[in-house]
Amino acid sequence: MSRTAGETGPAAHPPEPPGTSGAPAAQVDGPAPARPDIPDAQWNDWRWHMRKRLTNVEKARDWLTLTPGEEKAIAESAGKYRWSVTPYYASLMDPLDPTCPIRQQGVPALGELAEYSGAEVDPVGDMFYRKTNRVVHKYPDRVIMLVTEACPVYCRHCTRKFHTTDVSGTYFRDDEGESYEEDLRYIAAHPEIRDVLLTGGDPLSYQDGKLEQIVSGLRAIPSVEIIRIGSRFPVLLPQRITDELCEMLGRYHPVWLNTHFNHPKEITPEAAAAVDRLLRHGIPVGNQTVLLRGINDDVATMRTLMTELLRIRVRPYYLYHCDNVTGVSHFMTSVEKGWEIMEGLQGHITGFGVPQYVLTTKIGKIPLAQPYFTPTEGGLLLRNYRGQEMVVDASVHPLTEADLR
């Protein structure tokens, strides 16, 4: 059973997410023990994992046999990009294989430091649409609140890499610890805003008490109908999803949570239990996968991922085409690869297990699905997932008075 998270102050400013007291997590000297040597009471305590995160080569060597390329990437990214990996997430990595799909998501690579044509630090326009220190108002009826810069694991493919992982980067105008009053006032002053997504960084990096201050402040605004939380904690550190956290969130329904499984290896018994706790407290869970080169860019992996998500009652929501983000471009695939994968999902797995394939841009999320129909003189030429075709008359034929007699 996970321990109860503390009810303390705000998250620490990056690079260190909050520890057990709301202050920066303490650096622990000496090697982290392998999991069999870790008492259950520690392994099940999310705050222990936050304190014991892998943040340098020495700590990483206790879990992984690093390649010369990985060690060089860690050294050369120092002072440029933050990195940390929870012991839990490290335990999912193949210690000998640098191509492990979990390892590639968490350990720096030399590709992060290469320059790619067209790469941007903010290709989705968060900074352009920012209205307050935290509120980004891009769509008519909904906003995001950038709650924090901190994450338990700094995913190497993060769309907001500049905000979360770049040592010198931030989307914030003011310090993260500034009051939320301006943000709440903006939302209250715009009654067209009915849906607020808490994101960051990872909002669950905050202790329960601080997170509740934010959620309760939003729930006090009559026009806010839906509160959503974007969090990768169910994947990176499922011990964080305690009964106490779920009970707190359950007091402010409707609350939804979208998470971010990218590979079947991430769907563990711990992750399934975390999802179950959320669902039992009435919090629906959706998933947003990013299409990543060398990690999940094949039909078999993606089919398994989506069907396994359904097994643990997580609804696949989006398949994101990887953005051309500075420091992330080496993960990009072609759109044609995305179409190939979507073709391999459509018709082959349960319909509601097929995510929507989208590209996020400064003008919004753009669906990238290929049409399964072609207009012809004889009607619509339809194609199914097997490549079979037929023509149907899909035109409207209004009833005449004679038809009604």
Side-chain angles (χ1 to χ4, degrees):
M1 181 67 68
S2 299
R3 295 181 181 179
T4 304
E7 299 286 329
T8 53
H13 196 75
E16 294 298 331
T20 57
S21 64
Q27 294 295 313
V28 179
D29 296 327
R35 180 174 177 179
D37 300 327
I38 302 171
D40 288 347
Q42 292 180 339
W43 190 257
N44 294 328
D45 183 357
W46 72 277
R47 295 165 296 176
W48 178 90
H49 286 267
M50 295 293 277
R51 294 195 304 272
K52 291 284 189 176
R53 285 169 301 136
L54 286 60
T55 55
N56 56 46
V57 168
E58 288 70 30
K59 291 182 180 180
R61 284 176 179 156
D62 292 318
W63 295 86
L64 308 168
T65 300
L66 295 174
T67 67
E70 288 173 323
E71 293 202 15
K72 183 178 181 183
I74 291 169
E76 293 189 5
S77 63
K80 170 63 175 174
Y81 291 129
R82 303 178 180 101
W83 79 286
S84 69
V85 176
T86 59
Y88 168 81
Y89 202 58
S91 75
L92 306 186
M93 298 178 182
D94 187 317
L96 302 177
D97 183 6
T99 68
C100 166
I102 311 303
R103 189 160 159 171
Q104 290 187 68
Q105 293 182 66
V107 178
L110 291 172
E112 297 181 38
L113 305 172
E115 295 185 5
Y116 289 82
S117 174
E120 301 179 61
V121 296
D122 181 23
V124 303
D126 283 339
M127 289 187 278
F128 178 81
Y129 292 99
R130 189 182 61 185
K131 303 301 181 183
T132 69
N133 194 40
R134 301 178 184 85
V135 174
V136 178
H137 195 171
K138 188 174 182 178
Y139 295 97
D141 71 335
R142 55 202 183 276
V143 299
I144 65 173
M145 285 184 66
L146 298 171
V147 174
T148 180
E149 294 172 322
C151 293
V153 175
Y154 291 105
C155 301
R156 312 324 296 172
H157 58 275
C158 183
T159 293
R160 295 196 178 99
K161 195 180 185 87
F162 180 72
H163 179 58
T164 61
T165 313
D166 193 315
V167 172
S168 61
T170 181
Y171 290 174
F172 288 137
R173 180 190 65 213
D174 303 315
D175 185 76
E176 178 180 322
E178 294 291 315
S179 168
Y180 280 71
E181 289 305 314
E182 178 193 23
D183 313 300
L184 296 173
R185 281 198 303 270
Y186 177 88
I187 294 170
H190 291 78
E192 72 273 18
I193 298 173
R194 51 177 292 277
D195 180 351
V196 178
L197 169 62
L198 303 180
T199 182
D202 199 306
L204 300 190
S205 296
Y206 279 127
Q207 304 282 342
D208 290 3
K210 178 62 178 179
L211 185 61
E212 184 168 16
Q213 292 175 20
I214 301 166
V215 173
S216 64
L218 289 171
R219 184 50 68 219
I221 300 173
S223 54
V224 174
E225 299 173 8
I226 299 170
I227 298 172
R228 290 185 289 157
I229 297 174
S231 174
R232 215 177 176 211
F233 266 96
V235 181
L236 306 174
L237 184 52
Q239 292 88 335
R240 172 68 184 99
I241 312 300
T242 63
D243 284 328
E244 293 76 17
L245 170 67
C246 296
E247 288 168 5
M248 181 274 287
L249 293 176
R251 293 196 287 270
Y252 299 99
H253 278 315
V255 175
W256 298 63
L257 188 140
N258 278 332
T259 191
H260 180 173
F261 288 92
N262 283 329
H263 194 274
K265 284 185 69 174
E266 295 171 330
I267 302 178
T268 64
E270 293 96 332
V275 168
D276 184 67
R277 283 191 289 274
L278 289 163
L279 295 172
R280 288 178 183 274
H281 287 84
I283 301 167
V285 182
N287 190 70
Q288 303 179 163
T289 294
V290 180
L291 180 58
L292 299 169
R293 180 187 298 274
I295 292 175
N296 58 18
D297 59 335
D298 65 273
V299 171
T301 297
M302 202 66 79
R303 275 189 196 170
T304 301
L305 174 61
M306 298 306 158
T307 54
E308 285 296 289
L309 286 172
L310 294 182
R311 183 180 59 80
I312 65 169
R313 296 179 293 161
V314 173
R315 174 74 183 268
Y317 178 31
Y318 282 134
L319 173 62
Y320 282 113
H321 189 76
C322 184
D323 295 320
N324 194 7
V325 179
T326 302
V328 175
S329 306
H330 58 295
F331 284 115
M332 292 182 67
T333 69
S334 66
V335 172
E336 288 75 15
K337 174 58 71 173
W339 285 340
E340 174 190 323
I341 288 172
M342 291 302 296
E343 289 274 351
L345 297 179
Q346 185 69 43
H348 293 276
I349 65 173
T350 304
F352 60 79
V354 179
Q356 185 179 17
Y357 182 35
V358 297
L359 174 63
T360 306
T361 72
K362 290 182 173 67
I363 60 172
K365 292 182 178 68
I366 308 301
L368 295 179
Q370 287 183 301
Y372 281 77
F373 66 93
T374 303
T376 69
E377 289 187 3
L380 289 179
L381 174 63
L382 306 180
R383 175 179 60 85
N384 74 357
Y385 68 99
R386 290 176 172 162
Q388 298 168 319
E389 294 183 342
M390 66 178 294
V391 176
V392 301
D393 182 1
S395 57
V396 176
H397 301 283
L399 294 176
T400 65
E401 194 171 311
D403 293 326
L404 298 175
R405 289 178 187 155

